[in-house]
Amino acid sequence: MRPRAAVLCGAAAVLAGAFTAVPADASAPRAGGGAPAALLEWRKCATAEHPTLQCASLPVPLDHDRPGGRRITLALSRIPHTARTFQGPLLVNPGGPGGSGLRLAGFVASSLPKKVATQYDVVGFDPRGVGASRPALNCRPGHFAPVRPDSLPHTPAVERANLTRARSFAAACGRKYAGVLPHLDTVSAARDIDAIRAALGAERINYFGYSYGTYLGAVYARLHPERVRRLVLDSVVDPTEVWYGANLRQDLAFNDRHRAFLAWVAKHDGAYRLGRDPERVEAAWYAMRAALAKRPAGGAVGAAELEDTFVPGGYYHGYWPYLAAAFAAYVADRDAGPLVEAYRNFGAVDAADENGYSVYAAVQCRDARWPRDGDDWREDNWDAYEKAPFMTWNNAWYNAPCAFWPARPRRPVDVTNRVLPPALLFQATDDAATPYEGGATLHRALRGSRLVVEEGGGNHGITLSGNACLDGHLTAYLADGTLPPAGPAADAVCPALPAPGPLRAKAAATTSRGAVLHGLLGFRG
């Protein structure tokens, strides 16, 4: 349930253009593996923000172990290099799983210093099943249509209703995509990356991934360490908790982040009039939830939809002023209109989000084994709920199709790597979506890697968001491979950006770099 990037950020969509053949750059390193490079036919697909953007498509095997079998298509984008020095392709991924990467190429190329960005072909791609790649999944249109059952299973009837939704989603995926689901997983996506590398004519790639994209990058590096030149991983997935454990850990971290938001609201009581005591503000939020469970606002925002609306605030504190204004209007002014508008901007699901969720479920359910016994889910999530009521059950039902998934699960990949060139990792200490321990764990697993920590930061996706300290380390690494000196735990520490203030006037949009980035990051994961 991504925030609406078009509403909040004004980010332009990738536009189709006329086909124009672009010859391979003579200075680009050639494809490895003994196979000739495929010729990608790049076409112009410029936007107002990114006038040099190009697009292409690449057929790849559905099953990489059967290269002569069924083919699927990956959609690619790139901002070509213009500098005399060419450092090869920089593949970028926004996370998810299920996030579309086509627009991320333009954002990264325009956000890096020009002298660095112009030395790379910055390449975005829609992973298999996503967006403009074909086939694009949509298992069960309308799955998130409001008003859904209360996420809190306080009665057997409510639990049955949520279980029925999860089972129906999994069954619909199985009916529509029976031949595809066994090949939607991180290993297959990593093998697609190597097909992209070969099609680009590169012996090695540079890779920059956010969130789930850090796991995808680590898996690729495990499969092909000799084909990695530079590796940047921002907001790191814990590779030892793929994926059931990771979601339970998220519940605790999101609860802490939600309480940080409520404390921020209390701090700005002059603007929101909900009290100066964070516990009082928290009680008001849960009272709002209880009221909406009985009488949804605008016929659209019940308890589950309220949670969907406020979860993005755990990813990015730039959304806090908008969420707080809607919260205050409902509680203090008895006005549900701003809350309904906030739901439309932050929580409502459109066709692109349905696609993102379908791929999210397909990859997470296939990547690793999930409990099939409802008692395990029930016990684990009630235990988590006692400590973290904010999104535990919402998250449980979000992932519950994995209890019924029709494709056999793989085993998680051990991404431990002792031969990879030094990687650069970024992690905020209070990140809710990928808690801090994930960055520390992967740092230990990748020999020679460096970990840059944003102390006190709670956003998810922290580079290219306005923190000059973080971006300085990123730029130095991409410019010439410079890394911070090795430290005992974190190798470099940067102070966090300050939290925003209340809106001074009613604002319809924000165009800060952080807001644009968080509109582009991958589907909730």
Side-chain angles (χ1 to χ4, degrees), residues 184-208:
L184 281 170
D185 55 73
T186 300
V187 170
S188 295
R191 297 178 77 176
D192 288 342
I193 289 176
D194 204 53
I196 295 171
R197 175 202 59 79
L200 293 169
E203 292 181 357
R204 295 188 296 165
I205 62 167
N206 309 280
Y207 179 91
F208 183 2

Side-chain angles (χ1 to χ4, degrees), residues 98-150:
S100 168
L102 295 183
R103 289 185 295 156
L104 187 61
F107 173 81
V108 170
S110 62
S111 298
L112 287 169
K114 185 176 181 180
K115 65 180 181 180
V116 175
T118 55
Q119 295 181 20
Y120 291 91
D121 284 349
V122 184
V123 178
F125 61 100
D126 279 356
R128 53 176 54 204
V130 176
S133 294
R134 292 293 178 267
L137 272 64
N138 190 338
C139 292
R140 189 170 181 252
H143 182 70
F144 289 100
V147 173
R148 307 199 308 275
D150 190 341

Side-chain angles (χ1 to χ4, degrees), residues 26 175 199 319:
R175 287 192 301 271
Y319 302 143

